[in-house]
Amino acid sequence: MILKKPYAFLIKKFRIIHLILTLLIGFIIYRSTLIVNFFIQYIKNNYKSSVLLGLGNIYTPSYLFLTLIIIILISFAIYYLLKHKNKPFKLYLFIILYYTLLFIGLIYIKSKLGSLAEELLSAKLSRSLRDFSIISIVPQVIFFILSFIRTIGFNIKKFNFQSDLKEMSYGFEDSEEVEVNINLNSYKYKRSIRRSLREFIYYLKENKLFVLIVLSIVAIILVIFIIKNWHINYNKTYSTGKQFTYSDIQFTIEDSIITNLDYNGNILNPNSYYVVLKVSLSNNSGYTKEIDFNLFKLTYSDKIIVPTLSDSSYFVDYAPENVVSSFAHRTEKTFALVYKIAKKDINKSFKLDIYNGSVYNKNEYTSKHIYVKLKPKKIGDVSLVGNYKMGEKITFTNTFLENTSIKVNNYEINKSYFYTFEKCFKDSCNVYDDVITVPYTQQRHDNYILTLNTDYVVDENTIYGKGNFLPGTFADYFIKIQYKSGNTIYTDDFINVTPSYITNFLAFEVNNNINNASVIQAIITIRNKMYIINLKS
């Protein structure tokens, strides 16, 4: 079949071409709204942005300009067809002119965004760019609607789905009905393919000059864009548990949790939750390194959160070491980075974003980032694991202390508690006697000493165990003494007075009401798990 009409291909594919055009215009509208939102937030934040580097590549990437070029080329092809057929072509002329101007405007916006790393935009220019971005969306919405109407073949003036194509001399022979047979034989299938291929080749030959010009323009533009906008990806993404290098230090985000409880099960803030990262690092650089952890930001949705370094003390069961900024050579540390978020955001997708410097490339600064994907485990309300008698061993397998265990053998209540202990220096060990007494003050001289004789074993394979915490520290963090005297229950009326070097007992200063107590309990709460030891019941 020899094609007599050089524009038959465009006529036949009229709707498909408009579908592609509609999708491309929709994509440009989406990208335009991102630019509008940036300038709105920039002005709202008093002409400041949390990210200054690489904004040109973020909001006006190369593929945005490539999409504009494709829209212009498609519109030019349809414009040329309609003009040849003596049909209305002004819409496509307007699209060509508009997107050419938008192309130029976005180049200007890209240059201004790229310069933000060196100089902030003035208030007047910021508002002008915002207004330009908003106004630029209005014609695009009109073009989108009109292109969509052409996609479905709907003429808004005549309400006739076929009139658009008929007006362009779309003959019956180009749209005749074909009986579809599911049991197609291979010969007919191959013949149809060969015919389509032959018609396409004829079309190319008969419109060789036009096709050559279009392909040459596209090729030249693509080459220019590839050379001018070749972008090296300086960002790297890691998953939890994978090691990465930052400032010549090896880091690993070992784990992450999300909770509103401290180590002892207390609610930190009723309206907030905390995303907590267990961070391990090893400095083998040969130098002392300073790390600014404010550059370790938690991101989700459109929010950027910096860590609250002082809050790491609420998570000693999870990562007991304090956050410091200086790390000597051959230092290994494990600590918690804590990020406070709103309660409503606990189900968001979180990512750690570490700013890793910048490079100057293609006349603008590009920021480098290290990203770590996070899947924090949610830790809920406090639940009771069980009630225990004296002499029963409790192993904290449901907590971050894992195989750490404690057993209370017996208890004593005295005004003073005498004990012996061994103290060693190098290879020399000596036994000493000492006593715990109640201070003779007006407020405390009537108090008593409650002593728990214990077998305490710490799991040295855990992060908590590597801190070499003795029973006294364990009691500070996790144990409360509760007793009932008469109809009153006392829960906070005690002081841990266990000497720091002792390994086989715990001592608490308590009110003298404990002598008349009908119930005495040692309550151990580790994060969201509670264990009750009944001393007297």
Side-chain angles (χ1 to χ4, degrees):
M1 176 182 177
I2 298 175
L3 297 179
K4 295 180 180 180
K5 299 177 181 179
Y7 305 100
F9 177 79
L10 292 176
I11 296 174
K12 288 181 179 180
K13 306 299 180 183
F14 194 77
R15 291 183 182 179
I16 296 177
I17 292 172
H18 276 81
L19 174 61
I20 296 172
L21 184 64
T22 302
L23 295 175
L24 294 176
I25 293 175
F27 174 73
I28 297 298
I29 293 174
Y30 166 71
R31 297 298 309 187
S32 299
T33 57
L34 295 181
I35 296 173
V36 170
N37 290 334
F38 169 78
F39 283 112
I40 290 175
Q41 292 299 321
Y42 183 76
I43 295 171
K44 186 181 295 185
N45 294 333
N46 197 24
Y47 307 98
K48 295 178 182 178
S49 173
S50 58
V51 179
L52 294 176
L53 298 175
L55 287 174
N57 290 327
I58 294 173
Y59 290 98
T60 52
S62 300
Y63 56 80
L64 175 62
F65 294 98
L66 181 60
T67 304
L68 289 171
I69 292 171
I70 295 173
I71 290 175
I72 293 170
L73 291 176
I74 292 176
S75 301
F76 178 78
I78 300 175
Y79 161 78
Y80 197 66
L81 166 67
L82 296 178
K83 187 176 181 181
H84 176 80
K85 303 290 287 185
N86 295 319
K87 301 299 177 184
F89 56 80
K90 291 182 180 179
L91 169 64
Y92 302 96
L93 181 61
F94 288 146
I95 292 177
I96 293 169
L97 294 175
Y98 174 79
Y99 280 105
T100 301
L101 294 175
L102 183 62
F103 187 97
I104 297 171
L106 289 176
I107 290 176
Y108 178 75
I109 290 176
K110 182 182 180 72
S111 67
K112 290 302 177 183
L113 292 176
S115 66
L116 271 177
E118 298 176 338
E119 183 180 4
L120 297 179
L121 300 179
S122 66
K124 182 178 180 180
L125 180 59
S126 299
R127 290 193 294 269
S128 298
L129 292 176
R130 177 201 59 190
D131 296 341
F132 169 80
S133 301
I134 294 174
I135 294 172
S136 71
I137 294 178
V138 178
Q140 295 187 69
V141 174
I142 297 173
F143 295 149
F144 178 86
I145 295 172
L146 294 175
S147 180
F148 180 73
I149 290 172
R150 289 298 177 95
T151 299
I152 61 176
F154 184 80
N155 188 312
I156 199 168
K157 293 181 179 179
K158 300 180 180 180
F159 292 89
N160 188 330
F161 281 83
Q162 298 297 327
S163 62
D164 277 353
L165 298 180
K166 288 181 179 179
E167 287 182 3
M168 292 191 296
S169 300
Y170 192 97
F172 176 78
E173 67 277 5
D174 294 323
S175 59
E176 61 183 354
E177 295 182 354
V178 178
E179 182 179 355
V180 178
N181 187 354
I182 296 177
N183 298 317
L184 292 174
N185 58 53
S186 61
Y187 173 74
K188 291 183 178 180
Y189 181 73
K190 292 178 181 178
R191 184 176 64 182
S192 177
I193 294 176
R194 287 196 299 269
R195 183 178 62 187
S196 298
L197 182 61
R198 186 169 60 251
E199 290 177 355
F200 181 68
I201 293 173
Y202 286 157
Y203 171 79
L204 293 179
K205 287 181 178 180
E206 293 181 8
N207 299 276
K208 183 166 54 178
L209 180 60
F210 175 76
V211 172
L212 184 61
I213 292 173
V214 172
L215 291 178
S216 299
I217 293 173
V218 173
I220 292 172
I221 292 173
L222 283 175
V223 171
I224 293 173
F225 263 85
I226 291 173
I227 294 175
K228 189 173 180 60
N229 296 286
W230 182 266
H231 178 64
I232 301 174
N233 185 12
Y234 296 101
N235 302 329
K236 295 184 178 180
T237 302
Y238 299 86
S239 56
T240 299
K242 297 295 183 180
Q243 187 181 83
F244 60 89
T245 301
Y246 173 76
S247 189
D248 297 325
I249 294 180
Q250 286 70 50
F251 282 85
T252 304
I253 307 301
E254 301 282 359
D255 188 37
S256 58
I257 60 173
I258 182 167
T259 183
N260 65 339
L261 304 176
D262 70 0
Y263 54 81
N264 195 222
N266 301 305
I267 295 177
L268 293 169
N269 188 316
N271 300 316
S272 301
Y273 269 70
Y274 297 81
V275 177
V276 188
L277 313 185
K278 183 188 292 183
V279 183
S280 296
L281 67 79
S282 177
N283 181 13
N284 296 309
S285 65
Y287 303 94
T288 297
K289 290 289 184 176
E290 300 286 336
I291 301 295
D292 182 5
F293 286 107
N294 288 315
L295 300 178
F296 286 52
K297 299 175 181 178
L298 182 75
T299 62
Y300 63 95
S301 300
D302 59 344
K303 295 182 174 61
I304 300 174
I305 310 295
V306 297
T308 307
L309 302 182
S310 59
D311 284 349
S312 63
S313 60
Y314 295 121
F315 301 90
V316 293
D317 58 322
Y318 187 58
E321 297 184 85
N322 292 324
V323 180
V324 296
S325 59
S326 181
F327 302 93
H329 176 53
R330 298 192 183 280
T331 293
E332 293 187 357
K333 292 283 186 181
T334 300
F335 51 87
L337 286 180
V338 183
Y339 301 85
K340 186 178 181 180
I341 65 170
K343 185 177 181 179
K344 61 182 177 63
D345 294 332
I346 61 174
N347 293 317
K348 300 290 185 180
S349 295
F350 300 98
K351 180 171 62 176
L352 180 64
D353 181 352
I354 306 172
Y355 174 68
N356 196 26
S358 63
V359 292
Y360 190 73
N361 184 35
K362 303 297 181 183
N363 298 321
E364 71 173 5
Y365 286 97
T366 301
S367 60
K368 299 188 297 181
H369 293 263
I370 295 173
Y371 298 111
V372 181
K373 298 177 182 178
L374 304 174
K375 293 183 179 180
K377 296 185 290 290
K378 294 182 177 65
I379 296 180
D381 298 333
V382 176
S383 62
L384 177 63
V385 177
N387 283 271
Y388 300 85
K389 300 177 182 178
M390 285 190 296
E392 287 189 84
K393 178 182 176 181
I394 304 173
T395 304
F396 306 110
T397 51
N398 296 322
T399 72
F400 296 119
L401 276 59
E402 298 185 12
N403 291 320
T404 298
S405 65
I406 192 170
K407 180 172 68 171
V408 178
N409 298 309
N410 55 66
Y411 76 95
E412 299 178 35
I413 300 176
N414 302 287
K415 290 296 289 185
S416 300
Y417 181 75
F418 294 88
Y419 64 96
T420 61
F421 66 97
E422 185 179 64
K423 194 170 185 179
C424 299
F425 180 74
K426 293 184 178 181
D427 295 331
S428 177
C429 295
N430 296 294
V431 176
Y432 298 90
D433 295 322
D434 208 342
V435 63
I436 301 173
T437 60
V438 175
Y440 194 77
T441 64
Q442 183 175 0
Q443 292 80 14
R444 298 170 62 183
H445 72 277
D446 286 335
N447 290 348
Y448 279 76
I449 303 297
L450 169 66
T451 309
L452 310 182
N453 293 303
T454 61
D455 295 329
Y456 171 76
V457 179
V458 66
D459 185 351
E460 296 180 356
N461 294 320
T462 63
I463 298 299
Y464 174 84
K466 291 176 182 178
N468 295 320
F469 290 122
L470 293 173
T473 306
F474 178 85
D476 274 336
Y477 288 145
F478 307 117
I479 297 181
K480 292 182 179 179
I481 301 300
Q482 176 175 287
Y483 57 94
K484 181 179 180 181
S485 179
N487 294 321
T488 304
I489 297 176
Y490 299 86
T491 55
D492 296 316
D493 196 13
F494 68 94
I495 302 171
N496 179 19
V497 292
T498 309
S500 60
Y501 48 83
I502 289 300
T503 61
N504 60 347
F505 71 84
L506 298 171
F508 302 90
E509 183 182 329
V510 294
N511 190 277
N512 61 4
N513 291 321
I514 199 169
N515 289 305
N516 301 317
S518 58
V519 176
I520 304 176
Q521 296 173 323
I523 299 177
I524 302 173
T525 307
I526 303 173
R527 188 68 52 189
N528 65 329
K529 301 298 180 182
M530 180 184 291
Y531 309 80
I532 298 177
I533 304 174
N534 294 296
L535 306 177
K536 181 181 180 180
S537 59

